[in-house]
Structures are given as structure tokens and as C-alpha cells.
């Protein structure tokens, strides 16, 4: 042991000696460790410093985030309130346009206001229903409702471009004024001409009594003829061919014009009378179709018309104010040209609405609004759509449009129809596939017709409706 | 050694490194890779203090908005300044709009961390 004990220091000494010379690893190790210890403590210090900085940065970032969040929240509130007021502004604009149309003509009354209400009621019911075509139809979100509502509010916005004389044309001879008065004056002229002719006959020695009888008969005949023309002018009945022939015979009567009818005219009308014979005295027909009656169609963009997908045939002339032509209108008071002008309001609605930069959620407004005069079988206008291309929203609006028009009590050209009569007419239109059968049935089964009637129809219009017969 | 200018982008500040002794950074600091972006700055400053430092070096920092890795980098930057603080006179101005609480707090953190550095908070 002692040996070994004594050996250890010896060896140790030896090692140290050797180490100093040949084995520096021992002290280097210590040095390294000491270095490492120093490095380690430096590194630890650095790490601690770094961690503290990290904590500071984190804490500061958290505060920043909170400040940003609060700022964002404030800004969001601001944006939301701005959006809300913009929505209100847009709504007011829409209502402004709609009421301008309603106010423009007493012939549309409160139509633009009532159609959206009726449409939304029906859309709600359609959304709840799950049968047939309603399976895939839903209108749940506020945005969808807004889309339909705006489309319904603006469905007739194109009417701002329709001349008032066409919208309000209540008699066949009406232009800006009812020309029946002008024609009646011609009857008066002929009436006097007959009286003069009778007096002449008497002067020439004809039998006074016979002449008086002749005159009385001629006057009676003439008055009868005026009544026929006046009656036709109202356009209350369908005009058959034989009725037209009678009118044509009456029109062939003549009177003598002694005055120049090409003076006192505005530039535009003057252009139209240039081609007419202005020599006087001139024998004129009682009712005539003249060159001056043709208002040419100018500046019509047929390419654009096609591009928009409009199919309705465009009449050659803008208007034909021919007296005989207008009085021989078969149905109603509007000529072919005027009927087109009226129908053109939907094209205008589409053109106007397609120009508006609607946001994504309102992108269907022009489509919905522009299809309310289409039918299910391609006989509507302006695109002659068929059932597959006609959105349900438009089919709803189509029924709302017709029903409102039938039941409205604020139109001067017609008596309001009773509830049952209006529904009967709707049922005929459904039969002809002009209106959608499913929506019509829903309109009845949901009781919407009744709710609407109680709100907007006069008590005397509201009668019992046997809806069962239509629901089969 | 030459002057170095790094033009501003939408997310990074304009950096002007002038061998006459002015260093300035103005703008926002949201680089995609912060350490890579500031690498030229760090290298320039290191070299500047090694070789051509002026008697007085003025550093104007006007960083309006910055992300957290930029914060971290600014600490590193101040470390570098601190290492050279003994042999050089370095004046640092941390400039911010008085409504910019975030920049103010960052400036206060720097002052707290780098007691030996001459950092002045300058409000606009």
C-alpha cells in the first residue's frame, strides 16, 4: 500500500513533469473547462439577456396586437356603419327611381311599390316549400332577399324611357292628344257640306220635302258613322275584319281641304310633309294614312340588340300615326309599333341594370328584373326564354306583376277586377304556360293572395275564391 | 469603403449608410426575411467601426411600424453598437410620432437594455 501510496504522487509528479513537457492535455483540459465555464457563463448570460429581450419583444408585440385589434374593431364598426348607410342610400335611390316611374304615369299607380312586396312574400313561401321546382330553390340570406327585392323594385325601371303618350294611350287615335276631336270636326264639316248640298238642291228646284228627307237620312247616317268610329277608338272590343271594312268604307268619305296643311309646323313634322301634295283645294279622305304619319326609326343599334339577346321583332318604323291604321288596331289601343315601344321597357330595364356595377351578391338583379315578361314556352319578351332559362325569381315576379296589375284600383283605364276574376285570369295564363303553374298553386295554397287582397284591394273587390279548382 | 443606400419598399425602410458618420433608417420594417434583409447593414456597420469610423457617429432611426423579428434585429444592432461604444462616440436618435405608442415603448426598451449607449427619444 505504502508503495502504491508513494507511487501515486511519484507517478503524479512524474506525470506533471512529463505533462509540463509532453502531456499538456491535463492543464489544457482544465483550461478548456475553465474556458468553457467562462464561455458557458457568458453564453448563459447571453441566453438570459436574449430571453429577457424576447420576453420584452413578446410583451410589446402583445400590446401592439391589442392596440391594432382595438383599432381594427373601431375601423370595422366604422366600415359597417358606412356600409349600412350606403345600403340605405342605395335603397333610397332604388325607391326614388321606382316612385319616379309610378309618379310619371297614373297608369302604373303604385305598381313598382307593390310588386316587390308581393314577390318577397311569394319567394319566402317558395323557399319554405320543398316540392317540385322548389326543391332547389331557397332564399334564406338577407343578401338573396335583397337581390330579389332590388330586382322587383327595378323591374319596370326601363319605363322611364317610354314616352308618356304610349304608356297612357287610352284610345286608338291618341297621340299626345286624342285625335277623335280632329276627326269629329271633319264629320262636322261633312255635316255642313251635306246641309249646303241640300240647300243647293233646293235652289236648283228639287222638291223641298224630298231634299229634307234625304238630308235627314244622310245626317243620321253620318252621325251613326261617327259613333262607329268613336266606339272603335276606345278599343274595348276585339275588332274583326268586317268591322275594319266598315271603318274603311267610312274613311273613304271625302271632304275638301282649302287650307295649306304644311305651315305652322315644327322642323321635324315639316320634313315628313315635304313629300305630300300641298296644293289646295284638296279632296281629302275622312280618315287617312299619310306619309307624315310615319315616324321613321332612327339610330337603332341592331347589332347591340342581337348582342343583348333580344329576340322581339323590331318594327320598321318607330311609330305609325296613320288614322285609319290606328283606328283599325285589332286589340286594345296600341298599334304594333306602340306595343313594341311598351315592350321595349324591359329591354331598357336590362340595358340600364346591366350598366350598374352590382356587387357579386346582387349580380342576378338584371336577369331577374329583365325576365318578368317571359313565358315558359318562348312566347314572351324580350329574349323569348323558355322554362329552363327563366329563373324562379322571375317567374315569381311575373305572377306578382300580372296580379298587381289586374287587382290595382288606381288605374284610370280600367275598373279594378275582383279577386276571383283576377285569379281566374291568372289560371288562364297558367294554362297557356305564360305563368308558372307551381308558383300559381303556391300563391293560392299559401294564402298569399288573401293576405295581399286584405291589404291592398278594396272591400268590394274581395270575394270568395274557390282555390280547390285550381289546385288540382 | 463606400456609402451604402438601400431603397425603401412597401415593407422595408430606406437605409442610408454614410461613411461621414451618419446612419439612418426611415420607414416600416416588415421584411420577409429580416436577418437576411439587414445583413448588408450589419456588415457595413461592423466594417465601418473596424476601419473608417468617424469621431462621432450619428444614428437616426425612424421606424414607424415593425414586426417582432425586426425588434429582435434592432437589439442585435444595438449590441453591435455597444461593442464599439468604448472606442467611438455614438449618438443614437430613436425618432417617432408622439401618437406611436408602439415605437415609444420599443425606444424605452432599448434605453433600458443598453445603459451605456447614448440613446435619445425624439418625438415628432
Amino acid at each position: 500500500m505504502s508503495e502504491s501510496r508513494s507511487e501515486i504522487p511519484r507517478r503524479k509528479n512524474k506525470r506533471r513533469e512529463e505533462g509540463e513537457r509532453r502531456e499538456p492535455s491535463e492543464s489544457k483540459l482544465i483550461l478548456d473547462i475553465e474556458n468553457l465555464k467562462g464561455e458557458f457563463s457568458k453564453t448563459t448570460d447571453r441566453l438570459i439577456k436574449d430571453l429577457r429581450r424576447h420576453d420584452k419583444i413578446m410583451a410589446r408585440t402583445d400590446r401592439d396586437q391589442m392596440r391594432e385589434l382595438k383599432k381594427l374593431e373601431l375601423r370595422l364598426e366604422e366600415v359597417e356603419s358606412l356600409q349600412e348607410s350606403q345600403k340605405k342610400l342605395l335603397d333610397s335611390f332604388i325607391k326614388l327611381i321606382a316612385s319616379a316611374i309610378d309618379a310619371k304615369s297614373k297608369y302604373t299607380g303604385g305598381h313598382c311599390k307593390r310588386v316587390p312586396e308581393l314577390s318577397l312574400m311569394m319567394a319566402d313561401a317558395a323557399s319554405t316549400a320543398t316540392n317540385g321546382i322548389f326543391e332547389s330553390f331557397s332564399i334564406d340570406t338577407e343578401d338573396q332577399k335583397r337581390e330579389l327585392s332590388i330586382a322587383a323594385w327595378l323591374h319596370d325601371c326601363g319605363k322611364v324611357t317610354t314616352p308618356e303618350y304610349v304608356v297612357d294611350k287610352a284610345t286608338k287615335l291618341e297621340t299626345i292628344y286624342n285625335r277623335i276631336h280632329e276627326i269629329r270636326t271633319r264629320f262636322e264639316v261633312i255635316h255642313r257640306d251635306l246641309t249646303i248640298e241640300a240647300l243647293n238642291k233646293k235652289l236648283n228646284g228639287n222638291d223641298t220635302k224630298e231634299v229634307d228627307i234625304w238630308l235627314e237620312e244622310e245626317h243620321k247616317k253620318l252621325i251613326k258613322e261617327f259613333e262607329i268610329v268613336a266606339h272603335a277608338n276606345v278599343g274595348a272590343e276585339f275588332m274583326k275584319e268586317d268591322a275594319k271594312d266598315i271603318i274603311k268604307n267610312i274613311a273613304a268619305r271625302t271632304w275638301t281641304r282649302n287650307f295649306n296643311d304644311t305651315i305652322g309646323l315644327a322642323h321635324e313634322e315639316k320634313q315628313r310633309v315635304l313629300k305630300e301634295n300641298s296644293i289646295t283645294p284638296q279632296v281629302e279622305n275622312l280618315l287617312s294614312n299619310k306619309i307624315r304619319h310615319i315616324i321613321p326609326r332612327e339610330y337603332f343599334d341592331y347589332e347591340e340588340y342581337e348582342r343583348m339577346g333580344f329576340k322581339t321583332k323590331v318594327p320598321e318604323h318607330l311609330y305609325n300615326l296613320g288614322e285609319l291604321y290606328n283606328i283599325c288596331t285589332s286589340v286594345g289601343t296600341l298599334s304594333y309599333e306602340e306595343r313594341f315601344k311598351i315592350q321595349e321597357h324591359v329591354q331598357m330595364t336590362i340595358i340600364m341594370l346591366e350598366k350598374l356595377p352590382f356587387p357579386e351578391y346582387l349580380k342576378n338583379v338584371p336577369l331577374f328584373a329583365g325576365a318578368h315578361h317571359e313565358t315558359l314556352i318562348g312566347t314572351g319578351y324580350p329574349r323569348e326564354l323558355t322554362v329552363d332559362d327563366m329563373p324562379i325569381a322571375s317567374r315569381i315576379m311575373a305572377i306578382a306583376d300580372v296580379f298587381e296589375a289586374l287587382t290595382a284600383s288606381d288605374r284610370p283605364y280600367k275598373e279594378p277586377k275582383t279577386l276571383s276574376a283576377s285569379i281566374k285570369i291568372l289560371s288562364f295564363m297558367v294554362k297557356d304556360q305564360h305563368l308558372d303553374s307551381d308558383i300559381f298553386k303556391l300563391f293560392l295554397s299559401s294564402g298569399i293572395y288573401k293576405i295581399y287582397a286584405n291589404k291592398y284591394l278594396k272591400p268590394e273587390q274581395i270575394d270568395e275564391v274557390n282555390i280547390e279548382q285550381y289546385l288540382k | 469603403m463606400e456609402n451604402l443606400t438601400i431603397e425603401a419598399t412597401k415593407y422595408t425602410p430606406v437605409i442610408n449608410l454614410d461613411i461621414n458618420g451618419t446612419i439612418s433608417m426611415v420607414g416600416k420594417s416588415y421584411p420577409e426575411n429580416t436577418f437576411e434583409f439587414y445583413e448588408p447593414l450589419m456588415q457595413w456597420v461592423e466594417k465601418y467601426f473596424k476601419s473608417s469610423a468617424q469621431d462621432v457617429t450619428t444614428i437616426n432611426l425612424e421606424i414607424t411600424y415593425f414586426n417582432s423579428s425586426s425588434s429582435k434585429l434592432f437589439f442585435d444592432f444595438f449590441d453591435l453598437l455597444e461593442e464599439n461604444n468604448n472606442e467611438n462616440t455614438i449618438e443614437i436618435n430613436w425618432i417617432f410620432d408622439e401618437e406611436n405608442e408602439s415605437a415609444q415603448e420599443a425606444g424605452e426598451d432599448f434605453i433600458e437594455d443598453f445603459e451605456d449607449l447614448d440613446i435619445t427619444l425624439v418625438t415628432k
Side-chain angles (χ1 to χ4, degrees):
Chain A
M1 285 245 327
S2 71
E3 233 188 41
S4 63
R5 240 200 336 247
S6 67
E7 250 186 36
I8 292 166
R10 196 187 59 83
R11 276 172 78 181
K12 205 179 174 183
N13 282 341
K14 192 184 169 195
R15 253 190 211 166
R16 193 174 284 160
E17 282 157 22
E18 283 171 358
E20 274 162 8
R21 278 184 294 113
R22 281 177 299 172
E23 288 184 326
S25 58
E26 195 180 34
S27 61
K28 187 173 182 294
L29 188 67
I30 294 165
L31 249 159
D32 281 356
I33 290 169
E34 271 167 359
N35 274 347
L36 261 177
K37 205 178 133 194
E39 281 294 313
F40 184 73
S41 114
K42 247 199 240 168
T43 309
T44 324
D45 283 350
R46 266 199 68 86
L47 258 174
I48 289 169
K49 203 163 109 186
D50 221 48
L51 282 173
R52 284 211 181 102
R53 286 178 183 179
H54 262 290
D55 287 349
K56 271 186 192 166
I57 292 172
M58 280 235 290
R60 191 144 40 75
T61 308
D62 284 354
R63 287 196 296 276
D64 280 352
Q65 278 182 346
M66 186 48 82
R67 275 194 289 263
E68 287 299 318
L69 183 68
K70 279 183 183 159
K71 235 190 264 176
L72 276 179
E73 277 172 346
L74 265 176
R75 216 163 279 174
L76 183 69
E77 265 174 46
E78 212 178 287
V79 168
E80 276 172 347
S81 112
L82 279 175
Q83 264 181 339
E84 195 49 44
S85 58
Q86 244 179 352
K87 258 186 189 175
K88 273 186 196 156
L89 182 66
L90 180 67
D91 282 347
S92 307
F93 257 113
I94 287 163
K95 284 172 189 171
L96 176 109
I97 293 164
S99 23
I101 297 156
D102 284 350
K104 178 182 167 181
S105 164
K106 50 191 192 293
Y107 277 64
T108 53
H111 180 74
C112 292
K113 188 172 157 282
R114 291 193 286 258
V115 168
E117 192 174 335
L118 196 48
S119 298
L120 277 179
M121 281 162 80
M122 283 158 72
D124 271 339
S127 190
T128 321
T130 52
N131 58 310
I133 61 161
F134 304 117
E135 197 186 333
S136 57
F137 179 81
S138 70
I139 182 156
D140 311 317
T141 66
E142 277 308 305
D143 286 351
Q144 286 172 318
K145 274 185 197 168
R146 233 172 114 64
E147 190 176 42
L148 180 79
S149 167
I150 291 176
W153 271 97
L154 294 177
H155 77 283
D156 269 347
C157 72
K159 275 192 185 161
V160 292
T161 69
T162 315
E164 220 162 310
Y165 112 75
V166 181
V167 179
D168 291 5
K169 191 183 184 199
T171 64
K172 293 178 180 178
L173 288 168
E174 203 169 305
T175 52
I176 282 175
Y177 107 113
N178 184 353
R179 289 178 297 170
I180 190 69
H181 303 299
E182 186 181 339
I183 284 158
R184 196 185 59 245
T185 312
R186 291 182 207 154
F187 274 93
E188 294 282 5
V189 170
I190 294 172
H191 194 274
R192 269 167 192 69
D193 283 351
L194 288 167
T195 309
I196 293 163
E197 195 183 335
L199 289 171
N200 278 336
K201 277 180 179 171
K202 284 180 188 172
L203 276 176
N204 289 339
N206 287 20
D207 179 70
T208 310
K209 217 170 183 181
E210 272 177 28
V211 171
D212 282 342
I213 291 166
W214 170 84
L215 181 61
E216 200 188 332
E217 270 173 17
E218 284 299 318
H219 274 170
K220 265 188 194 162
K221 199 175 146 200
L222 186 65
I223 288 164
K224 179 77 195 150
E225 286 178 4
F226 176 69
E227 282 169 3
I228 291 170
V229 171
H231 180 71
N233 188 39
V234 179
E237 290 157 24
F238 180 82
M239 197 174 217
K240 289 183 191 149
E241 284 310 308
D242 53 351
K244 288 182 191 172
D245 288 341
I246 293 169
I247 297 271
K248 279 174 194 162
N249 280 331
I250 297 170
R253 268 187 189 273
T254 56
W255 59 287
T256 303
R257 176 170 59 80
N258 293 291
F259 293 88
N260 184 351
D261 66 349
T262 65
I263 56 174
L265 308 180
H267 173 75
E268 201 198 349
E269 193 177 2
K270 216 164 210 164
Q271 295 301 309
R272 286 187 266 128
V273 300
L274 282 179
K275 295 168 195 156
E276 287 184 2
N277 184 0
S278 62
I279 300 161
T280 49
Q282 183 75 36
V283 176
E284 299 269 7
N285 284 333
L286 183 52
L287 291 158
S288 62
N289 293 329
K290 292 188 172 187
I291 296 167
R292 68 172 67 190
H293 289 140
I294 304 289
I295 316 288
R297 180 174 294 282
E298 288 167 334
Y299 320 114
F300 194 86
D301 189 344
Y302 288 92
E303 271 176 35
E304 167 77 357
Y305 194 79
E306 205 170 303
R307 204 165 41 244
M308 294 297 291
F310 300 151
K311 301 268 174 63
T312 316
K313 196 170 172 293
V314 183
E316 182 190 354
H317 309 305
L318 184 62
Y319 296 115
N320 181 346
L321 307 179
E323 294 158 353
L324 189 56
Y325 175 75
N326 274 272
I327 204 79
C328 286
T329 299
S330 304
V331 186
T333 59
L334 297 175
S335 68
Y336 167 51
E337 290 78 7
E338 288 157 344
R339 194 164 292 279
F340 176 80
K341 180 50 83 180
I342 284 276
Q343 294 181 349
E344 213 181 4
H345 84 267
V346 192
Q347 298 166 17
M348 290 302 155
T349 293
I350 294 171
I351 291 169
M352 287 159 76
L353 293 182
E354 281 194 356
K355 275 191 189 144
L356 298 182
F358 282 111
E360 182 63 20
Y361 75 100
L362 297 177
K363 68 171 193 293
N364 287 319
V365 166
L367 179 73
F368 290 173
H372 72 279
H373 280 299
E374 301 286 357
T375 68
L376 305 176
I377 48 169
T379 53
Y381 58 90
R383 286 173 169 152
E384 299 180 0
L385 300 180
T386 51
V387 61
D388 295 330
D389 299 317
M390 204 181 162
I392 290 182
S394 303
R395 296 187 222 172
I396 287 173
M397 277 165 53
I399 290 190
D401 190 58
V402 176
F403 186 70
E404 194 289 328
L406 289 171
T407 54
S409 53
D410 55 2
R411 312 292 152 79
Y413 59 99
K414 66 171 190 63
E415 286 288 313
K417 293 204 158 38
T418 62
L419 188 57
S420 65
S422 303
I423 286 171
K424 191 172 215 110
I425 292 172
L426 285 186
S427 81
F428 290 147
M429 294 178 75
V430 168
K431 213 167 160 190
D432 292 342
Q433 298 195 63
H434 287 182
L435 297 176
D436 188 287
S437 160
D438 289 329
I439 296 170
F440 175 60
K441 284 177 184 166
L442 182 77
F443 177 59
L444 298 177
S445 62
S446 62
I448 288 172
Y449 74 100
K450 219 183 250 172
I451 300 167
Y452 180 84
N454 288 332
K455 189 162 176 190
Y456 289 113
L457 271 57
K458 288 183 171 164
E460 59 268 28
Q461 282 178 271
I462 305 175
D463 54 1
E464 247 340 283
V465 185
N466 172 15
I467 63 166
E468 290 309 317
Q469 58 177 317
Y470 302 119
L471 292 177
K472 277 176 220 155
Chain B
M1 186 166 193
E2 286 179 7
N3 291 345
L4 176 67
T5 300
I6 300 171
E7 294 298 338
T9 70
K10 199 174 170 191
Y11 299 112
T12 55
V14 54
I15 300 176
N16 277 308
L17 306 171
D18 192 325
I19 47 168
N20 290 325
T22 15
I23 293 174
S24 78
M25 278 194 252
V26 180
K28 292 175 194 168
S29 179
Y30 287 90
E32 253 180 63
N33 187 332
T34 305
F35 298 97
E36 203 173 283
F37 173 78
Y38 284 104
E39 181 69 28
L41 161 88
M42 298 297 272
Q43 275 178 6
W44 191 95
V45 173
E46 214 166 322
K47 203 172 156 198
Y48 165 83
F49 284 119
K50 257 185 206 151
S51 60
S52 44
Q54 299 290 317
D55 294 342
V56 179
T57 304
T58 309
I59 300 175
N60 294 318
L61 303 173
E62 189 181 339
I63 305 294
T64 47
Y65 293 101
F66 42 92
N67 59 12
S68 35
S69 61
S70 297
S71 285
K72 175 79 172 63
L73 186 123
F74 296 149
F75 275 114
D76 293 350
F77 178 59
F78 285 122
D79 274 339
L80 180 60
L81 298 180
E82 202 173 43
E83 279 168 28
N84 293 284
N85 198 35
N86 291 335
E87 290 147 34
N88 298 279
T89 307
I90 304 174
E91 292 170 354
I92 304 164
N93 293 310
W94 179 258
I95 308 161
F96 56 92
D97 194 289
E98 60 182 341
E99 282 170 19
N100 191 343
E101 285 178 73
S102 174
Q104 181 176 351
E105 286 176 5
E108 285 161 1
D109 280 353
F110 297 139
I111 291 175
E112 191 181 70
D113 246 53
F114 300 95
E115 286 171 355
D116 297 336
L117 281 178
D118 174 15
I119 305 175
T120 315
L121 300 187
V122 183
T123 53
K124 286 214 298 181

